[in-house]
Amino acid sequence: MIIQLAYDRWCINHGKPSGSREMGGTYEAATTRRFQKGRTEAIRVVSNEVREWLAAMRDRNSSAEEQKLLLVAATKKHINDAQDAGAAMGIDRHLLGLRMLVQDGDGDKALELFNDPLFQRSKKWVLSTSAIFSKHFHVYGWGEVVPDGFGVAYMTGYDDRLQFTITSRSEMDNAGFIREIAIAAEDMRKLFVSPTTNAPISRM
């Protein structure tokens, strides 16, 4: 959710209309190694719940309590989707298999889904994300998968910080996205911390 909030703000700062951000696809890897020859499935992070939460975070009239409740709902949706993907109930690997079975000579109807503009847009991964929870990987990452996207590797296994590795092409405002990541993390932390609590601020 930190990444979604940061990217939403980054898009607005770079001239994209508030709330539109083209809703580019976000890929997060889920392991399917429990199955024979299983490797990964895609967790599709962008959901209606995420959109509602982001809209509330942009709305100056939205209360902190409303933002918190919507964030919890978006997070629960994401957890459920992640569990489904890990149980081979995602959609992307199934669609890939179907696409590989369909031949160009099968007619326009067979290719209608794969040529649909929404499907084409949904498979453009402007954010390619994943997490590794291991003491053996102090720094890791990968490149962006589309020219105008970001690769986002993160770790949440520390007690005192979150760790992100952000990659992109040189023409992208990488530093600006990193700043938005830090701000988003702190804004989300504030939703769960009482104003009177003197809890230490997490480091990034």
Side-chain angles (χ1 to χ4, degrees), residues 158-186:
Y158 299 106
D159 293 330
D160 61 341
R161 67 187 184 276
L162 301 174
Q163 179 174 306
F164 291 84
T165 303
I166 313 295
T167 61
S168 67
R169 293 193 177 188
S170 59
E171 61 266 26
M172 296 292 287
D173 180 19
N174 190 292
F177 187 47
I178 291 172
R179 285 193 297 272
E180 293 296 349
I181 287 279
I183 294 170
E186 180 59 19

